[in-house]
Amino acid sequence: MLINHDTRCALDAVVALVNTTPEGDGPDGLADVDALRRFVADHAISDVGTLEERDLVAVRAVRARFAEVFAAPDTRRAADLLNAMVAAAGTTPRLTDHDGYDWHVHYFAPGASLADHLAADGGMALAFLLEAGERGRLRRCEAPDCGYAFVDLSRNRSRRYCDSRTCGNRLHVAAYRARRREAAG
């Protein structure tokens, strides 16, 4: 599947945003406005003004809607969720060439809030996956103690873990040790 740079960046931001959701009694990755500022900086999100508490509340709401898309039971439900999110964000496609990047499309209106920016760009990136018949690439890590969201961009759609070096490796090592214990018996 061919995904352009901007769509990949938007998908990465969506996944990272969903993965800030507190799991169980874990911490919220967007605990405060400073955490939101770090998120914006980490993902090089442009056209963001001064961030305030209301931005944090709005971005958390967008995060919850993206999590619903990952959990959608079928493409129709995922499409309905994305359509509502993108429409609410006031999507306004426009060509731009800022900060040394070649021409690319932004889907948020100039001066949009951070939440609308994320909903528009991220929603459109996810919509492109659905339109291509690739909703199955939206996954959750299969490690029993993880559950992070990820987009499987492998050629054969076989990725099972959010990070093969941590979750995948940890499970493979545990299985190997269990087999060794069983063989030693």
Side-chain angles (χ1 to χ4, degrees), residues 37-115:
R37 286 184 189 113
R38 285 190 300 276
F39 180 86
V40 166
D42 290 347
H43 296 282
I45 298 172
S46 62
D47 289 338
V48 176
T50 303
L51 297 174
E52 300 174 4
E53 188 69 27
R54 70 173 186 256
D55 296 301
L56 179 62
V57 170
V59 169
R60 284 179 179 161
V62 167
R63 172 179 73 181
R65 291 196 305 264
F66 280 135
E68 287 182 66
V69 172
F70 273 83
D74 55 41
T75 302
R76 167 102 28 228
R77 180 65 182 143
D80 289 345
L81 291 164
L82 286 171
N83 284 337
M85 184 184 321
V86 168
T91 306
T92 308
R94 63 187 170 94
L95 283 168
T96 183
D97 68 338
H98 61 86
D99 299 327
Y101 293 106
D102 284 336
W103 289 102
H104 58 282
V105 178
H106 280 186
Y107 294 96
F108 57 93
S113 69
L114 175 60

Side-chain angles (χ1 to χ4, degrees), residues 88-151:
T91 306
T92 308
R94 63 187 170 94
L95 283 168
T96 183
D97 68 338
H98 61 86
D99 299 327
Y101 293 106
D102 284 336
W103 289 102
H104 58 282
V105 178
H106 280 186
Y107 294 96
F108 57 93
S113 69
L114 175 60
D116 285 346
H117 177 140
L118 291 168
D121 274 2
M124 289 303 300
L126 291 172
F128 293 143
L129 282 178
L130 265 62
E131 184 247 341
E134 299 288 354
R135 187 183 75 83
R137 291 182 183 272
L138 302 180
R139 300 210 176 135
R140 291 286 185 162
C141 184
E142 291 182 19
D145 59 342
C146 183
Y148 270 8
F150 68 94
V151 177

